[in-house]
Amino acid sequence: MMIPCGNAVAEVLRHAERPGFTGVTLLSYKRDRWVCVRPIHAPSGDSSRFLVEERGFTHQDKTCERRELRGLLKRLVRREFPRSNKLHLRLDKSRINPPV
């Protein structure tokens, strides 16, 4: 689905709060750059840590706590999608499927 770039961080955080969250991917309009957020499940089943993969101008993977996720996503959206008005939002159905 297409979403406004200004709403991207709020949409990712909203989906990350849901039970059963497996991941979400933000893609540029041409789908050549993306940012993927996936939970890292603890043995207790808690998902308070996330793996954030960035593929575009910069290729890197980061892990962060739930409280750090908003700030990290804001920086990544500004860096990866500087002139974008709309982004593709893809909910990952399985942790095995690659985002692109």
Side-chain angles (χ1 to χ4, degrees), residues 36-70:
C36 181
V37 178
R38 297 173 192 252
I40 299 173
H41 293 288
S44 63
D46 179 27
S47 61
S48 62
R49 295 185 54 81
F50 295 90
L51 173 65
V52 181
E53 301 173 52
E54 176 185 10
R55 300 292 183 270
F57 295 120
T58 306
H59 292 258
Q60 62 183 348
D61 298 340
K62 291 187 177 188
T63 58
C64 68
E65 299 289 331
R66 185 178 299 274
R67 68 181 184 278
E68 302 165 339
L69 187 58
R70 178 183 296 274

Side-chain angles (χ1 to χ4, degrees), residues 14-57:
R14 184 173 63 87
H15 287 291
E17 293 293 324
R18 291 183 175 173
F21 172 70
T22 57
V24 66
T25 305
L26 293 171
L27 299 106
S28 66
Y29 181 77
K30 294 184 346 184
R31 297 183 179 141
D32 58 345
R33 296 184 310 273
W34 52 269
V35 174
C36 181
V37 178
R38 297 173 192 252
I40 299 173
H41 293 288
S44 63
D46 179 27
S47 61
S48 62
R49 295 185 54 81
F50 295 90
L51 173 65
V52 181
E53 301 173 52
E54 176 185 10
R55 300 292 183 270
F57 295 120

Side-chain angles (χ1 to χ4, degrees), residues 68-85:
E68 302 165 339
L69 187 58
R70 178 183 296 274
L72 179 61
L73 283 174
K74 282 184 177 183
R75 280 194 313 267
L76 294 180
V77 166
R78 278 194 303 255
R79 179 168 51 210
E80 291 298 332
F81 315 112
R83 294 178 298 278
S84 297
N85 294 319

Side-chain angles (χ1 to χ4, degrees), residues 5-19:
C5 189
N7 295 348
V9 174
E11 285 290 319
V12 170
L13 293 174
R14 184 173 63 87
H15 287 291
E17 293 293 324
R18 291 183 175 173

